[in-house]
Amino acid sequence: MKRKISSPTMAAIVAAVALSCGTQAEGQVKPKDAEVQRFVAKLLSEMSSEEKIGQLEQAAGQYTSKAQADELTRKGQIGSFLFLTDPERINELQRIAVTQSPHHIPLLFGYDVIHGFRTINPIPLALASSWDPALVESVQAMAAREASAAGVNWAFSPMVDIARDPRWGRIMESAGEDPYLGEQMAAAQVRGFQGAYVGAPHHVLASVKHLGGYGAAPGGRDYESVDLSDELLHNVYLRPYRAAIDAGAATVMSAYMDLNGVPASGNRWLLHDLLRDEWGFKGFVVSDWDAVKSLTVHGYTANASDAALRAFDAGVNMEMTSALYRAQLPALLSAGRIDRTKLDEAVRPILEMKYRLGLFTDPYVSLDRYKTETLSIAQREGARHAAEQSAILLRNEGGILPLSKSTKTIALIGPLADSKVDTLGSWSLHATPADTVTLAEGLKAKLPNTTILTTKGVEIQRGNASIFDEQAPEPKPTLLTDDARNAEFAHAIDLVKQADVAILVLGEAQNMNGERASRANLTLPGKQQQLLEAAVATGKPIVLVLMTGRPLDITWASEHVPAILNLWYPGTEGGNAAANLLFGDAAPSGKLTVSWPRSVGQLPLFYSANLTQIPESPDTRYWDESSAPLYPFGFGLSYTRFTLDNLQIDKSTLHPGEALKARVTVKNQGAVAGDEVVQLYTHQRAGSNSRPVRELKAFAKIHLAAGETRSVDLMLPASALTYWSSATKTFTLEPGAFDLWVGDSSTASLHKDFAVAP
């Protein structure tokens, strides 16, 4: 077993890049609020109503002809474009905007920078699995750096929806099931995208989405209407949004679906009363794609004019793509149904963000910087490091991993082993698959003297169209007959028999995840399960490597395959990261941010349920199988073994305004270095509401050398025990007895009692 080789941290990578790349944005400093307000007030006083309404419009660049885009820009009838990524074209449009439009107002260019721009990082669910907010912040800072070099100044990210049902395709964009972890990841991503302030050099605007409750789609069916109690909304689903707003998010995207009967994009309570009045949001709201027009589809509005009016009144500042504002607001304004003061209020934050970005003084991007930044060595190193930190070791019986580099023959089998587009994952819209390192390529580069026998064994296909087929076409099948398919299957098993060890790379094609990619079951698609079972039946050592955007049904594998490494979708450098992990040059340190189900019948599944009847047998809710997860929230193995003991707390009574310190001793009992995530959970024993059996309240990721022992402190402020009570209809911190646990997952066993004082 090799020792883990140290590699540069993401923070070091970002710092090195910042010193090496110059740009016209170097001199952009944070403007004073009064300066911004004076500039925008003067501009608003000079603009026509038509120009103001134009600022509320965003057009899809790929569906707008060059002539039309130029004309809209020249007339001041557009505030933003999305899906334009050519820096020369972006500069051209900016030049038209600032030299030919009535008041020379620059444009915003938005893009789905979900987990990278041209260089693709692991999917957000994977990044959250690192349990390292600093890493996540650095990853999104690198993504912002690359996107901003192309002229993109607005990322439609992060998605902070809580996701507790892996049938939902967009779980891959989330941080998982837990609101506290979701808060940390939401804030980290906002800081990464935006930097220390809106307009910081090499950064972009963040757009927190999709407000709110979108991730609670029943049955995991995307776009379905969502019904959530106030208790769930405030204590679970809204918390990451609030954390993102508190972190300074510049924009918010409204959701498609109904929330408790009212479409989110027409929901004034959500977009105004809560977001602005209660949370103090000062940025602007953009609708999701065609969401304003869809208000009529929902049966909420009578026609296009009604949809425009009610979205505007609800608080949607900018409409994405459907152009109802441009078509309907002038007449509504003339009829007095929209107040001119309200129009100014809607436009103001859009202009303020453009000013803060420095676009009024320097709207252009440097083509030299674009060439330097795109797919740079630092970008690739950062992507590889993130993929290494995000992988989760689910099983390692007999210490089969890491594999020996002296292994003579390896069978590398599976439809994803050498698939560039699938290594990237969904929402890699601007990536070029040819830039991607597959697992097959990564292994061959690492082991030049090893015979690597590679074949796919089976092919998998979604079977119906994906909305992203135009940007990321599904590879066409090559096994077109039963004879061809049977021969390929047999060939794969023959290679397994010839090898010293077999690595099976299985999971989902990338288009099986993401938007409009929900699933009714979680089995391995196609004949992958049969391939896995046949490989195991050979008696050769088997390593299962998963590439997926959601937990899959691997219950059989968890009992029969000695080693399971979950890579998620690892991105551009996925193959190199996987090779380092499999052969010990990096050590898995990821932890689950979702409870991994045994079967689809358990869903939705999450650890923080309330105690109910027969609490001593919580895992026996089904008579035909355990109701416990296959792998619990917070779980993940390492190549070494850690022990946690000697839990101490510095006070037994916690007063409001104070913080409790929990200290635990962590020891690396193994012969190699590794990372551990120390997790703290609490339970309120009694109150005005029933409270979850456990709630994550703090965590720390630490690195320990072989044999090293360290004391780890976790802070629990009294404010973290506040919750929204459905009995009192308010947030409350209630006195009484609490349990506290510390451990390496949600099943933590080290325990202390404490009390909150009145």
Side-chain angles (χ1 to χ4, degrees):
M1 187 179 290
K2 298 289 185 181
R3 291 184 178 274
K4 181 180 178 183
I5 296 176
S6 62
S7 60
T9 65
M10 280 295 297
I13 291 168
V14 172
V17 173
L19 291 173
S20 65
C21 293
T23 172
Q24 80 284 355
E26 295 281 5
Q28 174 68 14
V29 297
K30 182 180 180 180
K32 296 184 181 300
D33 291 346
E35 171 193 336
V36 177
Q37 292 162 8
R38 282 195 304 271
F39 178 89
V40 171
K42 183 176 186 300
L43 183 57
L44 282 171
S45 71
E46 299 170 353
M47 293 170 65
S48 67
S49 296
E50 181 184 35
E51 286 180 274
K52 293 174 182 178
I53 292 171
Q55 288 298 305
L56 309 184
E57 283 291 347
Q58 181 180 66
Q62 76 274 43
Y63 300 131
T64 306
S65 70
K66 182 180 185 301
Q68 184 183 12
D70 290 353
E71 185 70 7
L72 288 171
T73 304
R74 189 172 291 111
K75 290 183 175 180
Q77 294 179 347
I78 194 73
S80 173
F81 288 97
L82 72 160
F83 285 119
L84 289 179
T85 57
D86 177 2
E88 293 187 5
R89 175 59 175 154
I90 287 173
N91 278 346
E92 181 181 19
L93 282 168
Q94 290 286 34
R95 187 169 291 108
I96 294 171
V98 301
T99 62
Q100 300 179 36
S101 71
H103 283 92
H104 316 300
I105 300 173
L107 299 163
L108 289 174
F109 291 91
Y111 200 75
D112 284 292
V113 187
I114 307 301
H115 53 113
F117 185 62
R118 180 70 181 273
T119 307
I120 302 301
N121 298 294
I123 60 172
L125 185 60
L127 292 173
S129 300
S130 72
W131 287 65
D132 187 345
L135 171 76
V136 173
E137 179 178 343
S138 297
V139 164
Q140 298 298 35
M142 293 294 284
R145 189 175 191 95
E146 195 174 50
S148 65
V152 171
N153 43 37
W154 185 12
F156 300 134
S157 189
M159 193 197 88
V160 302
D161 298 299
I162 294 294
R164 293 178 162 183
D165 190 334
R167 291 173 296 185
W168 189 46
R170 303 194 78 166
I171 191 174
M172 55 83 61
E173 299 173 58
S174 79
E177 72 183 53
D178 185 76
Y180 177 76
L181 186 66
E183 288 173 329
Q184 308 312 304
M185 296 303 166
Q189 291 189 80
V190 169
R191 293 193 300 267
F193 282 122
Q194 295 187 175
Y197 56 89
V198 173
H202 317 306
H203 287 79
V204 300
L205 302 180
S207 189
V208 181
K209 63 184 189 183
H210 309 82
L211 189 66
Y214 182 38
R221 297 182 298 274
D222 208 3
Y223 310 145
E224 289 276 323
S225 298
V226 169
D227 286 290
L228 288 171
S229 68
D230 288 346
E231 192 271 337
L232 278 174
L233 269 175
H234 290 293
N235 290 326
V236 178
Y237 287 91
L238 293 177
R239 282 176 52 184
Y241 291 101
R242 177 64 185 269
I245 300 307
D246 290 345
T251 77
V252 168
M253 184 181 294
S254 62
Y256 284 122
M257 82 300 157
D258 289 359
L259 176 64
N260 297 335
V262 180
S265 294
N267 192 322
R268 184 171 174 82
W269 171 81
L270 191 65
L271 302 181
H272 183 273
D273 300 353
L274 178 76
L275 181 62
R276 294 194 182 277
D277 290 349
E278 186 173 332
W279 292 355
F281 176 63
K282 301 300 183 185
F284 69 89
V285 174
V286 62
S287 77
D288 208 334
W289 186 287
D290 273 1
V292 173
K293 182 171 69 175
S294 291
L295 294 178
T296 303
V297 176
H298 286 244
Y300 181 67
T301 57
N303 50 43
S305 175
D306 193 24
L309 174 63
R310 295 175 76 176
F312 182 89
D313 282 346
V316 174
N317 299 79
M318 182 178 286
E319 175 198 18
M320 185 187 289
T321 68
S322 51
L324 294 192
Y325 279 8
R326 186 188 307 128
Q328 304 297 331
L329 292 191
L332 291 168
L333 191 66
S334 296
R337 301 190 68 190
I338 289 177
D339 185 274
R340 294 183 185 276
T341 301
K342 297 292 186 183
L343 179 60
D344 283 0
E345 289 177 2
V347 178
R348 182 175 289 108
I350 297 171
L351 297 176
E352 287 179 349
M353 292 305 169
K354 291 182 177 184
Y355 187 87
R356 291 182 185 280
L357 286 172
L359 296 177
F360 282 94
T361 55
D362 195 353
Y364 307 117
V365 293
S366 164
L367 298 183
D368 288 339
R369 182 186 164 227
Y370 169 70
K371 294 173 184 176
T372 301
E373 193 68 59
T374 301
L375 283 170
S376 67
I377 292 173
Q379 290 282 351
R380 282 187 171 275
E381 287 181 348
R384 175 191 52 75
H385 179 69
E388 291 168 356
Q389 293 293 304
S390 301
I392 304 172
L393 184 62
L394 295 174
R395 183 172 164 88
N396 196 23
E397 294 300 303
I400 186 174
L401 290 179
L403 298 171
S404 170
K405 292 178 186 174
S406 62
T407 304
K408 294 181 178 179
T409 305
I410 296 171
L412 181 63
I413 309 296
L416 307 180
D418 201 24
S419 173
K420 289 180 177 291
V421 68
D422 294 315
T423 302
L424 292 170
S426 184
W427 287 111
S428 304
L429 303 180
H430 191 55
T432 300
D435 300 326
T436 306
V437 180
T438 67
L439 205 152
E441 292 169 336
L443 287 190
K444 290 173 182 177
K446 180 167 286 292
L447 305 171
N449 299 318
T450 298
T451 300
I452 300 175
L453 308 172
T454 304
T455 196
K456 55 189 169 184
V458 299
E459 292 180 329
I460 56 174
Q461 283 196 298
R462 173 167 158 156
N464 55 25
S466 162
I467 62 173
F468 300 121
D469 283 344
E470 182 179 336
Q471 294 98 334
E474 183 177 49
K476 294 185 181 300
T478 60
L479 305 173
L480 302 179
T481 67
D482 286 343
D483 286 346
R485 288 185 280 269
N486 293 337
E488 172 61 20
F489 190 102
H491 174 58
I493 299 306
D494 184 56
L495 294 185
V496 172
K497 293 176 181 177
Q498 297 176 41
D500 299 312
V501 63
I503 302 170
L504 271 71
V505 188
L506 308 179
E508 299 175 297
Q510 61 83 25
N511 65 356
M512 296 174 181
N513 292 264
E515 188 172 344
R516 288 187 66 181
S518 298
R519 292 188 62 187
N521 65 71
L522 299 177
T523 55
L524 289 167
K527 300 289 186 181
Q528 292 182 99
Q529 181 68 32
Q530 294 92 319
L531 182 69
L532 178 62
E533 293 183 14
V536 170
T538 65
K540 291 299 180 80
I542 303 295
V543 175
L544 172 59
V545 174
L546 291 172
M547 285 192 190
T548 177
R550 54 163 65 89
L552 297 174
D553 183 349
I554 56 168
T555 302
W556 185 91
S558 72
E559 299 172 354
H560 297 91
V561 178
I564 304 175
L565 178 66
N566 182 34
L567 285 181
W568 302 112
Y569 292 115
T572 299
E573 283 286 309
N576 288 330
N580 287 344
L581 290 160
L582 290 167
F583 289 89
D585 290 332
S589 61
K591 299 276 189 176
L592 289 173
T593 66
V594 287
S595 301
W596 197 290
R598 297 174 183 273
S599 68
V600 74
Q602 293 178 287
L603 302 176
L605 182 66
F606 48 95
Y607 80 93
S608 55
N610 288 2
L611 286 170
T612 59
Q613 284 295 99
I614 319 178
E616 67 276 9
S617 301
D619 301 334
T620 60
R621 301 308 192 204
Y622 301 119
W623 61 262
D624 54 344
E625 72 171 6
S626 171
S627 54
L630 183 64
Y631 301 111
F633 175 87
F635 173 82
L637 301 174
S638 173
Y639 287 159
T640 188
R641 185 172 63 88
F642 298 98
T643 58
L644 284 73
D645 59 20
N646 192 30
L647 173 62
Q648 302 293 326
I649 57 176
D650 69 345
K651 53 176 63 74
S652 59
T653 301
L654 180 62
H655 291 84
E658 293 182 341
L660 178 153
K661 180 169 70 176
R663 172 169 291 178
V664 66
T665 302
V666 185
K667 182 174 183 180
N668 182 347
Q669 300 276 20
V672 297
D675 296 345
E676 179 62 294
V677 179
V678 184
Q679 303 163 41
L680 184 153
Y681 297 84
T682 65
H683 168 62
Q684 181 175 335
R685 293 182 186 171
S688 59
N689 266 33
S690 297
R691 301 297 297 132
V693 60
R694 293 190 182 199
E695 293 181 283
L696 180 69
K697 295 297 183 182
F699 62 88
K701 188 169 188 175
I702 61 169
H703 180 80
L704 293 180
E708 182 181 358
T709 300
R710 187 185 307 172
S711 293
V712 176
D713 292 340
L714 296 170
M715 301 305 296
L716 176 66
S719 59
L721 303 174
T722 299
Y723 73 98
W724 194 90
S725 169
S726 57
T728 64
K729 306 297 182 184
T730 187
F731 286 94
T732 181
L733 173 63
E734 296 174 332
F738 284 75
D739 297 292
L740 180 149
W741 295 271
V742 172
D744 60 3
S745 76
S746 56
T747 62
S749 58
L750 295 177
H751 177 262
K752 290 290 183 180
D753 301 314
F754 72 97
V756 170

